[in-house]
Amino acid sequence: MLTRSVWILKWVIIMIIILAKGNPPEEPIKCSNNFTNCTITNSYGAFPDRSTCHAAEAAYPSSEQDVVLIVANATRAKRKMRVATRYSHSIPKLVCPDGENGLIISTENLNRVIKIDKEKMLVTLESGVTLRQLIDEAAKSGLAFPYTPYWWGLTIGGLLGTGAHGSTLWGDGSSIHDYVVQMRIVTAGSEEDGYAKVRTLEENGEFDGEMKAAKVSLGVLGVISQVTLKLQPMFKRSVTFLAKNDTDLSDQVIAFGRQHEFADITWYPSQKRVVYRIDDRVSSNVSGNGLWDHPGFRSTPSLALLILRSTEEDQEAKGDAAGKCRNGKLTTNTLIRSAFGLTNDGNIIFKTFHLKITI
Ligand SMILES: Cc1cc2nc3c(=O)[nH]c(=O)nc-3n(C[C@H](O)[C@H](O)[C@H](O)COP(=O)(O)OP(=O)(O)OC[C@H]3O[C@@H](n4cnc5c(N)ncnc54)[C@H](O)[C@@H]3O)c2cc1C
Ligand SMILES: *[C@@H]1O[C@H](CO)[C@@H](O)[C@H](O)[C@H]1NC(C)=O
Ligand SMILES: *[C@@H]1O[C@H](CO)[C@@H](O)[C@H](O)[C@H]1NC(C)=O
Ligand SMILES: *[C@@H]1O[C@H](CO)[C@@H](O)[C@H](O)[C@H]1NC(C)=O
Ligand SMILES: *[C@@H]1O[C@H](CO)[C@@H](O)[C@H](O)[C@H]1NC(C)=O
Ligand SMILES: *[C@@H]1O[C@H](CO)[C@@H](O)[C@H](O)[C@H]1NC(C)=O
């Protein structure tokens, strides 16, 4: 009985701490002086192999022209290069240049929305622009980018690099790269090219084959400087969460996916539970102005993470399977009860969303 009260108390404390505000992650690129002698990590502060990645130099271009100069210079010097972003959210070591003498090119300052063509419904962005900027800028012109990952702190270059996607089985599908109509990429060039080359890749254009490869390049084919994306007229979404047991999941998956444009399924196999997100497009004149602030994607105070980690390590050490299941169920229940962070009354950010919450 006592251990159970201690356990509940611990969770209450964790929840209180989680509700407090955390800090954004540290800069992933750190240099000792004048952009030389650098280390790079991801936003989690550790790569899967826990090694430290070194680079001789970091560069922060603020235009495509800067990128060309930087790439030419490094090519002439036979230096290896990798592209990093403001926070570098990918877990694998994709941003690490080989060896100790590499150059990191950050897209942190390539952060401008270049042009919105309202008539053609196209937006042209520098590659370091975040999904959040894209959504905000498009909305100002009454437009929207339909399918996106769960979180908006990611950059266009990073999203393309890893084949990131939202959730739909409809139309062209939910991958960001399927909405690219043009991109500009800076690659190493020959001496005659001045050691760097800019290519404009277009659907059905001169470099159509290259375009298909460059769209999901893992960052190894060059520095994407600009991207043009196809937008749609702004709309709202009607969202309902439905939690059920998983008895008929295998019969449901495809049918459910076909039925709702933004269908999304979260399966908790150990709990034999499934949460279906019934999520459809509705006209933007439907009333309602929801806000979605998913607890899993908020900044979390280090102390809360520390407690969660030590609880997990303790359970691992003791082989406490029942404890892990209990924590898992409590987490899922808390998420479901809080409707995964959806509210009907937020009016600041998700202008495009109409939310109906059923638990
Ligand atoms: C909270 C959270 C939620 C997420 N949800 C989803 C989701 O719902 N669906 C999904 O598919 N993914 C999701 N992801 C994964 C995310 O889409 C990828 O990790 C993405 O690559 C991160 O983008 P980034 O801007 O941080 O890029 P980084 O991690 O910095 O870079 C990724 C790769 O792209 C390359 N790159 C970046 N910019 C350029 C450029 N300009 N030119 C050439 N190469 C470049 C880098 O070199 C690297 O190889 C999520 C991640 C987080 C942190
Ligand atoms: C820093 O680098 C720039 C050019 O790369 C150079 O002009 C400048 O002298 C350097 N400053 C120091 C303090 O080393
Ligand atoms: C490079 O940076 C490390 C710390 O990250 C420091 O210990 C080392 O002295 C630096 N080397 C040079 C040549 O500045
Ligand atoms: C190009 O390289 C030279 C010498 O290595 C350096 O002084 C200069 O700052 C570099 N320019 C750019 C844009 O990186
Ligand atoms: C799952 O739910 C259905 C009703 O939706 C019910 O008929 C079935 O018995 C449940 N299965 C289990 C294992 O609880
Ligand atoms: C909402 O917009 C649709 C077209 O998108 C239109 O048919 C409908 O009449 C509008 N409803 C209201 C209440 O304005």
Side-chain angles (χ1 to χ4, degrees):
M1 196 59 211
L2 182 66
T3 47
R4 191 163 169 80
S5 322
V6 170
W7 179 79
I8 289 171
L9 184 66
K10 201 161 157 186
W11 273 101
V12 168
I13 293 168
I14 291 173
M15 291 305 165
I16 290 168
I17 295 170
I18 286 175
L19 290 173
K21 267 215 157 342
N23 297 319
E26 284 183 44
E27 284 279 333
I29 304 169
K30 291 202 180 78
C31 300
S32 66
N33 62 13
N34 212 9
F35 306 111
T36 62
N37 187 25
C38 309
T39 61
I40 173 144
T41 179
N42 52 26
S43 60
Y44 314 97
F47 291 119
D49 66 0
R50 304 203 171 251
S51 65
T52 304
C53 173
H54 293 275
E57 207 180 331
Y60 293 80
S62 50
S63 68
E64 186 182 88
Q65 229 169 342
D66 284 355
V67 176
V68 171
L69 290 176
I70 290 161
V71 169
N73 232 8
T75 306
R76 193 166 39 225
K78 295 192 164 48
R79 263 187 153 172
K80 303 220 171 172
M81 297 166 246
R82 277 303 170 98
V83 186
T85 62
R86 176 74 181 81
Y87 289 120
S88 289
H89 288 288
S90 292
I91 297 165
K93 229 171 151 183
L94 294 167
V95 293
C96 183
D98 192 28
E100 302 272 305
N101 192 36
L103 168 69
I104 296 162
I105 302 173
S106 169
T107 62
E108 183 171 346
N109 299 333
L110 285 173
N111 57 4
R112 278 172 300 258
V113 174
I114 297 169
K115 194 171 113 188
I116 291 203
D117 186 332
K118 225 172 144 172
E119 293 291 297
K120 292 189 181 147
M121 295 197 278
L122 296 175
V123 62
T124 301
L125 319 152
E126 289 183 330
S127 62
V129 163
T130 60
L131 193 51
R132 177 178 192 162
Q133 270 178 285
L134 163 60
I135 291 169
D136 283 349
E137 286 300 319
K140 285 181 195 160
S141 297
L143 299 169
F145 189 71
Y147 310 112
T148 66
Y150 285 117
W151 189 58
W152 64 12
L154 315 163
T155 68
I156 301 305
L159 293 169
L160 291 180
T162 55
H165 55 86
S167 187
T168 197
L169 288 179
W170 291 22
D172 292 330
S174 69
S175 297
I176 310 283
H177 57 260
D178 285 329
Y179 295 81
V180 173
V181 295
Q182 193 193 78
M183 58 201 279
R184 290 170 65 83
I185 187 164
V186 182
T187 55
S190 61
E191 197 179 340
E192 300 86 72
D193 295 328
Y195 296 102
K197 206 168 168 167
V198 186
R199 284 185 179 81
T200 303
L201 310 181
E202 253 173 317
E203 206 107 88
N204 309 316
E206 185 190 350
F207 299 112
D208 187 48
E210 280 94 334
M211 167 95 155
K212 287 195 169 70
K215 281 201 288 194
V216 189
S217 70
L218 295 175
V220 298
L221 296 180
V223 186
I224 296 164
S225 54
Q226 291 179 14
V227 179
T228 303
L229 296 168
K230 182 98 190 96
L231 300 173
Q232 295 181 357
M234 194 145 81
F235 56 89
K236 288 187 180 179
R237 279 162 63 177
S238 170
V239 180
T240 306
F241 283 106
L242 187 62
K244 282 173 60 176
N245 67 39
D246 65 3
T247 313
D248 61 348
L249 177 61
S250 60
D251 299 329
Q252 284 295 323
V253 176
I254 301 292
F256 182 74
R258 295 232 164 91
Q259 205 175 352
H260 303 284
E261 182 176 3
F262 304 94
D264 183 295
I265 297 173
T266 308
W267 183 24
Y268 302 96
S270 70
Q271 299 171 30
K272 304 193 186 320
R273 198 148 51 151
V274 186
V275 176
Y276 294 90
R277 195 178 79 206
I278 301 166
D279 190 338
D280 295 288
R281 184 183 298 238
V282 292
S283 167
S284 56
N285 63 12
V286 169
S287 69
N289 242 338
L291 176 79
W292 196 344
D293 187 7
H294 198 297
F297 303 142
R298 289 179 203 163
S299 349
T300 307
S302 313
L303 183 58
L305 300 174
L306 205 80
I307 296 170
L308 287 172
R309 176 67 178 255
S310 79
T311 305
E312 210 171 300
E313 275 176 0
D314 192 47
Q315 286 167 343
E316 284 287 334
K318 291 183 184 141
D320 181 9
K324 289 192 99 171
C325 288
R326 217 162 43 210
N327 287 6
K329 256 187 210 144
L330 182 70
T331 306
T332 313
N333 286 342
T334 308
L335 278 172
I336 293 174
R337 272 195 209 112
S338 66
F340 299 86
L342 282 165
T343 52
N344 280 321
D345 54 359
N347 55 15
I348 308 161
I349 303 162
F350 273 89
K351 306 171 200 69
T352 47
F353 288 63
H354 162 79
L355 307 166
K356 191 167 61 187
I357 298 166
T358 313
I359 307 169

